[in-house]
Amino acid sequence: MTTGTPQPPIDTSRPHSARVYDSLLGGKDNYPVDQAVAEHLPAEAKAGAFQNRAFMNRATAWLAREGVDQFLDIGTGIPTAPNLHQIAQEIAPASRVVYCDNDPIVLRHAEALLVSSPEGATDYVHADVLEPAKIIEAAHKVLDFDRPVALSLLGLLHFLPDDVDPLGIVRTLTAGLCPGSYVVLSQGASDVNPEGGERGSAEYGKGGIRLALRTREEFTRFFEGLEIVEPGLVTAPEWFRGTPGPLPEFSGVYVAVARIP
Ligand SMILES: C[S@@+](CC[C@H](N)C(=O)[O-])C[C@H]1O[C@@H](n2cnc3c(N)ncnc32)[C@H](O)[C@@H]1O
């Protein structure tokens, strides 16, 4: 489903991951149920949200400078400037970007994601990542899958417990991409600050959100068969190309960018 179809209702009786994240980032598109979760999360959660966003910014700019001009971003979140297309199009104005999220509040704010440069294009797909083939099919409207695409799932994998087969989902998505494409992933870590991670999982759990933090080794499995680019699989503040980084680690978020051979 793309924008233009009837708007699904926003459930304000229980927290949603997009709105908790918006609250952590200091946004206004969240409700008391979301704020209650955000306030009880360990202090690192806020730093993690900002560092995750800053990584998206650096990785997108690097990809655009490498010549990538097509992006498929799943689990986009509530718009927060700069959004991915603004970063890419500032460097490569003809960049084409497809966003996807399953939260009604993100759909409600999707207009902000659809303001493209005149040379480029953006689109929004309201869909669940549990149906990856449908997302790829919808993205064909805007993206040319015979040319490299940068696929990003940022801050999303830790909302996908193993029983929904996140590895299989990422494999299905990458199977639709040609060689020279990239995969950009971030994931909350269970082994960087284990105590904080457990507290965070418990707080999300109280709101009915299952958090699946992963070890470095577990996160590494998402990149099997792919070529992880420099600086490798690191935490968000450590992912820098050139100056000034890396920064000290306070995020508890693993990240990596990998190329499809
Ligand atoms: C923590 S936010 C990350 C936002 C953005 N990618 C970023 O890194 O700044 C996670 C996003 O994933 C979305 N999400 C969670 N489960 C999803 C699913 N099954 N399908 C699609 N999106 C999902 C949420 O609605 C939310 O917007």
Side-chain angles (χ1 to χ4, degrees):
M1 177 165 57
T2 54
T3 47
T5 48
Q7 301 270 343
I10 291 172
D11 180 358
T12 58
S13 68
R14 57 190 187 93
H16 276 225
S17 60
R19 301 183 327 222
V20 173
Y21 186 69
D22 181 68
S23 175
L24 288 170
L25 289 174
K28 301 270 176 279
D29 300 307
N30 50 74
Y31 298 87
V33 280
D34 311 304
Q35 292 151 17
V37 175
E39 278 162 20
H40 288 98
L41 289 175
E44 309 84 61
K46 202 169 184 174
F50 278 98
Q51 291 296 348
N52 179 60
R53 200 74 203 166
F55 162 69
M56 183 279 282
N57 197 323
R58 293 194 295 278
T60 303
W62 178 77
L63 287 161
R65 285 195 204 98
E66 284 293 293
V68 177
D69 62 1
Q70 302 195 96
F71 297 81
L72 173 56
D73 181 53
I74 305 177
T76 296
I78 295 166
T80 306
N83 295 295
L84 190 152
H85 72 283
Q86 294 163 315
I87 299 159
Q89 291 183 342
E90 191 176 323
I91 295 163
S95 294
R96 303 173 78 78
V97 179
V98 175
Y99 291 111
C100 170
D101 204 289
N102 72 340
D103 194 312
I105 199 162
V106 182
L107 176 63
R108 199 67 65 91
H109 291 277
E111 271 83 56
L113 301 169
L114 298 175
V115 184
S116 171
S117 64
E119 305 92 324
T122 59
D123 196 11
Y124 181 81
V125 179
H126 180 71
D128 197 304
V129 73
L130 303 185
E131 297 190 294
K134 264 194 188 170
I135 296 174
I136 294 282
E137 191 189 328
H140 268 91
K141 209 171 86 184
V142 168
L143 305 179
D144 173 3
F145 283 86
D146 292 330
R147 295 200 309 108
V149 171
L151 165 73
S152 47
L153 278 70
L154 299 174
L156 171 57
L157 292 176
H158 45 250
F159 296 113
L160 304 179
D162 289 349
D163 58 27
V164 303
D165 190 20
L167 280 169
I169 289 170
V170 171
R171 283 195 193 117
T172 303
L173 289 166
T174 52
L177 307 180
C178 69
S181 294
Y182 286 88
V183 179
V184 187
L185 302 178
S186 70
Q187 156 78 54
S190 60
D191 53 354
V192 171
N193 173 6
E195 197 212 328
E198 275 174 30
R199 275 180 48 215
S201 298
E203 287 304 328
Y204 273 104
K206 282 183 206 163
I209 299 173
R210 294 197 295 159
L211 200 62
L213 301 178
R214 295 191 168 90
T215 63
R216 188 175 205 286
E217 196 195 332
E218 287 164 344
F219 183 49
T220 306
R221 287 189 206 134
F222 286 95
F223 298 96
E224 265 165 29
L226 310 179
E227 296 167 352
I228 296 181
V229 305
E230 291 296 320
L233 191 161
V234 292
T235 64
E238 294 167 335
W239 199 98
F240 265 90
R241 306 289 300 214
T243 52
L247 299 169
E249 157 53 28
F250 291 114
S251 72
V253 175
Y254 285 130
V255 304
V257 178
R259 190 175 177 281
I260 297 185

